Amino acid sequence: MKVPKSEIYQEYQNILNTVMGGQKNKKKFQSILLAKNLMPSRAFSAVEDREVFEFLNEVELAVILKAASGTIKAHFPFNDVFTEVELNKAEGFSIAISQDYSLPMSFQMSEMQTGKSYVGSISIDKLVGMKESGLLNYNFEIQREAKEIEVSEERLFIPTVNVANVEEIKKLLLEGTLKSTMIVLNIKKDMDSNYINYNDRTGELTIFEGAQIDILDGNHRLNAAAQALSINPDVEFTFALQINYETIEEAQQYQFQLSKATPFSMARKSQLGQEQFGDVITKNVIAHSDLKGKVSTVSQVTKSLGHIVNYKTLLSAISFNFKPANKIEVRKIESTLVDYFDYALALGVIDENSTRLEFYMFVAFVAKRYKQGQEVSENELEKIRDEMNRFIEFRHGDMSAPTGNNIPRSLKKELDEFYEKE
């Protein structure tokens, strides 16, 4: 670099903060870095953590600043800050190949289809090591249509990456809750060379030097794994692994068959959409209301940690009672629930002593008012408190939640009977 790294820290902060200020810019920036095998989370962490910033090497820094400034069309004096060599390396940036992960490489596999398909497993460390060593290739010929974007007045093709999906999988990996899932790779079959050997006796599949290893299915999981390890190097996970040995045309057919998998019925798609909306609403209500810090992510509610309810109870109550049809309605429901929960917690309608039943009741009574178009007010909250008390009397003081697999549905039947008698 032509100047000390410390001298551009403020400018780095300004540019990255501008990127983070807009969701569209943030997603575009993240996609560019993911395409170059760089971790967006580390780039963002460097804004607040000076040590992370100092840890970035000159070429990484140039790549990040080029992606960020190009995304928001900001001017940065690259020629005054970086040397010509650093800028040239940034243009064709790729992670340096690690000596730990190179070909030939062996895997313990079972043969599914003679000479064509093998299954086994791979640790998260080895999978990410292969990615960062440059052994795994994102082949546009066998993937979805590439996304074309403009960066610094240049057209760039990047993989189609859903950043939200990567973030969600990364979170599950860090929490240790990701379910068993498979990565599918394809060794590009060349009629003039043989890049693999399978030993029937030992079950060892060897991939030889010169092989092109394409990611066939699991690119989002791969990126999430790399991000998770960059945050916590002690993360442990074993992926199921399928390795195919096929030509480009055969790999394309594999992707085509995946896209033609048996579709869900419209009713099930609608149900899944409502469940997904319910999860979004629940997370945002917790994040933007006084519930923040009070919701347990596990079944047990630990009062010493300030928890008053678990996530599953809230999600179940919200998903059942609110059935949004679109994202606009999602935002309206979020706003309503945030206001009501803030009122309820401030006035003691809901507190650390509230039972699951009371949370289910509270959400049900809020949903009733939302559907009636009632404005959120302290007066309406007092009416909810009164209704909750009368419903408890109707249940002869029983504060336990209904039994069964679908508690909100069982509770609705009781509420319908309650309203009839009212």
Side-chain angles (χ1 to χ4, degrees):
M1 289 180 71
K2 296 179 180 178
V3 301
K5 193 186 293 185
S6 58
E7 288 187 15
I8 66 167
Y9 184 52
Q10 185 62 55
E11 191 65 18
Y12 180 93
Q13 286 181 309
N14 293 340
I15 291 175
L16 267 291
N17 276 324
T18 302
V19 170
M20 289 189 283
Q23 194 62 24
K24 187 175 181 180
N25 287 334
K26 185 176 178 181
K27 286 185 177 180
K28 184 177 179 181
F29 170 73
Q30 288 174 312
S31 295
I32 296 169
L33 290 198
L34 286 172
K36 291 177 173 289
N37 285 338
L38 275 177
M39 297 300 104
S41 55
R42 190 162 72 163
F44 289 138
S45 295
V47 174
E48 300 294 335
D49 193 329
R50 188 65 177 261
E51 287 188 12
V52 177
F53 175 78
E54 293 295 340
F55 185 74
L56 297 171
N57 66 46
E58 291 79 1
V59 177
E60 285 179 301
L61 195 53
V63 172
I64 291 168
L65 284 169
K66 273 185 168 290
S69 58
T71 296
I72 60 174
K73 293 181 170 51
H75 171 71
F76 184 84
F78 287 99
N79 293 327
D80 296 333
V81 173
F82 297 98
T83 66
E84 184 178 353
V85 171
E86 288 165 347
L87 291 175
N88 287 338
K89 285 183 178 179
E91 284 300 318
F93 180 83
S94 62
I95 297 289
I97 293 182
S98 163
Q99 294 301 311
D100 294 332
Y101 294 95
S102 58
L103 299 178
M105 183 179 288
S106 296
F107 299 85
Q108 284 301 123
M109 310 289 282
S110 297
E111 193 170 39
M112 285 178 62
Q113 191 175 355
T114 303
K116 295 194 70 171
S117 188
Y118 308 85
V119 291
S121 63
I122 186 170
S123 69
I124 186 172
D125 304 79
K126 186 171 182 178
L127 180 68
V128 172
M130 290 177 67
K131 170 186 167 66
E132 295 189 347
S133 298
L135 293 180
L136 301 185
N137 177 54
Y138 188 95
N139 188 342
F140 290 107
E141 288 187 88
I142 61 173
Q143 289 288 345
R144 301 176 186 181
E145 184 177 353
K147 186 187 293 183
E148 186 179 5
I149 60 176
E150 185 175 327
V151 180
S152 301
E153 299 182 354
E154 294 182 11
R155 305 302 293 179
L156 175 67
F157 288 98
I158 63 172
T160 303
V161 177
N162 185 318
V163 176
N165 285 356
V166 173
E167 287 294 316
E168 181 63 24
I169 297 168
K170 177 187 76 176
K171 178 185 172 187
L172 294 173
L173 279 167
L174 290 170
E175 291 175 346
T177 56
L178 181 66
K179 302 294 184 185
S180 177
T181 185
M182 179 175 278
I183 301 292
V184 184
L185 306 176
N186 184 64
I187 312 299
K188 181 183 174 184
K189 191 172 185 179
D190 187 336
M191 298 306 176
D192 297 325
S193 304
N194 188 15
Y195 291 116
I196 68 168
N197 179 67
Y198 183 69
N199 187 318
D200 290 320
R201 186 174 58 80
T202 63
E204 186 175 72
L205 176 71
T206 302
I207 303 172
F208 299 114
E209 189 173 352
Q212 177 177 311
I213 310 175
D214 294 329
I215 304 160
L216 195 51
D217 185 42
N219 189 51
H220 286 80
R221 278 154 278 167
L222 177 58
N223 281 304
Q227 290 193 34
L229 272 186
S230 73
I231 295 170
N232 179 7
D234 295 324
V235 168
E236 293 184 359
F237 190 81
T238 300
F239 290 91
L241 176 66
Q242 179 175 326
I243 296 179
N244 294 346
Y245 185 51
E246 297 185 319
T247 64
I248 292 295
E249 292 74 19
E250 289 173 322
Q252 288 171 337
Q253 186 62 27
Y254 180 95
Q255 281 286 16
F256 176 76
Q257 289 178 7
L258 278 183
S259 69
K260 293 295 182 182
T262 306
F264 290 111
S265 67
M266 288 305 294
R268 180 57 179 148
K269 282 183 179 177
S270 175
Q271 182 186 355
L272 286 172
Q274 287 165 0
E275 289 170 1
Q276 185 179 32
F277 280 141
D279 193 46
V280 170
I281 292 169
T282 305
K283 286 176 180 173
N284 286 338
V285 168
I286 293 169
H288 299 112
S289 76
D290 291 337
L291 280 172
K292 190 171 184 178
K294 296 181 172 67
V295 180
S296 170
T297 56
V298 296
S299 298
Q300 184 176 354
V301 176
T302 308
K303 291 187 178 181
S304 62
L305 296 177
H307 298 156
I308 62 175
V309 66
N310 66 44
Y311 184 83
K312 185 178 179 181
T313 295
L314 273 185
L315 174 61
S316 177
I318 290 171
S319 297
F320 180 81
N321 288 289
F322 292 94
K323 294 181 171 61
N326 52 57
K327 291 183 179 179
I328 294 175
E329 201 171 348
V330 165
R331 287 193 288 271
K332 290 180 181 177
I333 293 169
E334 285 173 4
S335 176
T336 298
L337 283 167
V338 166
D339 289 343
Y340 265 118
F341 270 113
D342 282 350
Y343 265 128
L345 289 164
L347 299 176
V349 177
I350 293 293
D351 59 26
E352 68 274 9
N353 296 315
S354 296
T355 64
R356 281 197 306 158
L357 174 69
E358 288 174 294
F359 275 97
Y360 284 125
M361 278 195 297
F362 180 74
V363 173
F365 287 135
V366 169
K368 174 187 171 187
R369 282 156 177 78
Y370 172 82
K371 291 167 186 175
Q372 291 173 344
Q374 297 280 0
E375 292 292 323
V376 181
S377 68
E378 190 172 332
N379 183 49
E380 283 302 318
L381 185 73
E382 289 299 335
K383 289 181 181 177
I384 288 177
R385 188 204 298 264
D386 185 51
E387 272 188 275
M388 288 172 67
N389 288 333
R390 295 202 314 275
F391 181 64
I392 295 299
E393 288 178 12
F394 168 76
R395 296 182 99 229
H396 306 293
D398 183 4
M399 298 291 287
S400 60
T403 57
N405 293 328
N406 194 323
I407 295 174
R409 190 182 302 279
S410 300
L411 182 62
K412 182 180 182 300
K413 292 179 181 178
E414 291 187 35
L415 286 171
D416 288 343
E417 292 175 11
F418 167 67
Y419 290 136
E420 284 179 14
K421 292 191 176 181
E422 286 267 294

